Amino acid sequence: MLIQSMKFFLKSSSVLLNIYRMSSKCTVAVCQFTATNNKEENFKVVKSLLKESVEKKAQIVFLPEASDFIAKDKHEFKALAEPLTGPLISSYCSLAKDLNIWISLGGYHEMYDASTIYNSHVVINNQGEIKSVYRKIHLFDVSIPDKNIHLRESDTNRGGNEIVPPVQTPLGLLGLSICYDLRFPEISTLLRKLNADVLTYPSAFTSGTGKAHWEPLLRARAIENQCYVIAAAQYGKHNNKRISYGQAMIVDPWGKIIAECPKYSDDVSTNQSIGVAELDLDIIKRIRTEMPVILHRRNDIYSLNLVNCRQDIDDDKIYEFADKKIPGKTVFYVTKHSFAFTNIRCVVPGHVLVSSLRKAKRLQDLTEEEIADLFQTTVKVSKAVEKMYNAQSSTVCVQDGKFAGQTIPHVHAHILPRKENDFSNNDDIYLHLAKHDTADESKLIRTLAEQIDEASVLRKYFY
């Protein structure tokens, strides 16, 4: 009986081990094609690439930057951009669900509001849900006359302001970047520190820069970070002004190209193609174990730290604010060192607080990294609050110590969205702020439900 039990255990263990080994591998497809200003035709091409990828057993498909369209001019660019709630993204989500496949939509022109368009990398899961959105940080503003390169991305796009934490996918933790970000190795290093297994660079590299730098840069990012690198690419002539280099590829953590599409050439008969490869997370583990580069970094001499990166909010957690207890449901933004929450007493509508996560009485008690994070967070929160309350300015105030008016001994910033003539004397706001925590102002106390409702709306600006 004991022998039979042992045999069953060993057989079950073998099955479990095989399942584990299978789960460490994932087949992916990297695509390239020639987008134009015709969104409907571009989507048809993408649909055919996705179907071909599914036939080749891919679980995730990577599409290039500007898969939605490449416009001829600024006016057309603005006319074609859509919000993430628009019909095109809805079509992508439906396609992902219908084909049971994850999609990395490498560069989508996101109409954030009437005056803001982002170049956004959108990850959609096989249930048709958006799992992550990264907005391109580095904008390509370059003029190289002898190569006939004249592009100013900032004329149409706004730069993002956040490195997004790697998103969990069937192929591990996926770090998101876009095109020109490839030239800034700091992003890849920080994503590696956040445990990324795979780095992505969906691109529309120009033919001139692509010939010189595309492959060396991608292989370097893979080698130095010991990550897989996946780079979908635009290819060919989009219009009279623009040609993209192509050569979409997948690079393994040792720097070897394991899948590749054609480079731009007038002789290539097709402008769309895919490369397929199996990624194995065990290879990453082996390479990182044999050569533990990240452990050899001399953080005592130099360091690279993420100033501001959002963290998940725990609704059930109680956040500490000196001796006060802040319910997680009233918190609407959390970073590595700071958190923002709605106020129990408001001087003006939208009056919110940003505090350090670590208990510290004064600014001088914070580290340089904590100070940078606190004020970066304050700026981001003030922008969101102004949008929500249709304000044109903000009063930002830090009462640093008891004699500066600080009543709660924990570093925090007040953010008060301002409108024209909201006070007859503009500086009266400071008088109201000085006494807003006193007993005679108790009528200003809001219910917990009001705070939670406001936090739920504000979260939409960050998550």
Side-chain angles (χ1 to χ4, degrees), residues 226 254 283-293 296:
Q226 299 173 314
W254 196 246
I283 292 177
I284 298 177
K285 293 174 185 176
R286 176 175 56 78
I287 290 174
R288 292 177 180 179
T289 300
E290 293 173 352
M291 191 183 294
V293 174
H296 296 158

Side-chain angles (χ1 to χ4, degrees), residues 324-380:
K324 311 294 183 185
K325 306 299 181 185
I326 306 300
K329 289 184 178 180
T330 68
V331 175
F332 58 87
Y333 184 52
V334 180
T335 68
K336 183 178 180 181
H337 298 295
S338 309
F339 70 110
F341 55 101
T342 54
N343 203 351
I344 195 169
R345 294 183 178 92
C346 296
V347 173
V348 295
H351 177 186
V352 299
L353 301 177
V354 175
S355 173
S356 63
L357 278 169
R358 184 171 65 86
K359 286 186 179 181
K361 291 183 178 180
R362 301 197 51 197
L363 285 170
Q364 64 191 27
D365 299 325
L366 299 177
T367 65
E368 289 185 3
E369 187 178 346
E370 287 173 325
I371 292 171
D373 187 287
L374 180 77
F375 283 100
Q376 288 273 0
T377 301
T378 298
V379 171
K380 291 184 71 172

Side-chain angles (χ1 to χ4, degrees), residues 396-456:
V396 177
C397 180
V398 177
Q399 296 161 304
D400 193 26
K402 178 179 179 180
F403 302 115
Q406 185 187 51
T407 56
I408 297 176
H410 189 149
V411 176
H412 61 283
H414 294 266
I415 300 173
L416 304 96
R418 302 295 304 277
K419 298 181 180 180
E420 188 176 8
N421 300 321
D422 52 4
F423 288 88
S424 55
N425 179 11
N426 192 52
D427 286 348
D428 282 350
I429 192 167
Y430 298 107
L431 298 175
H432 287 269
L433 183 62
K435 65 180 183 178
H436 86 292
D437 279 335
T438 59
D440 62 341
E441 294 287 314
S442 61
K443 64 180 183 296
L444 297 175
I445 293 178
R446 300 196 299 164
T447 66
L448 179 60
E450 288 176 315
Q451 291 178 262
I452 292 172
D453 287 346
E454 184 182 35
S456 66

Side-chain angles (χ1 to χ4, degrees), residues 110-133:
E110 178 195 356
M111 177 67 77
Y112 187 79
D113 58 33
S115 61
T116 307
I117 297 174
Y118 288 113
N119 187 346
S120 299
H121 186 162
V122 184
V123 177
I124 304 168
N125 71 8
N126 61 339
Q127 298 300 310
E129 303 163 335
I130 294 177
K131 299 302 293 182
S132 187
V133 179

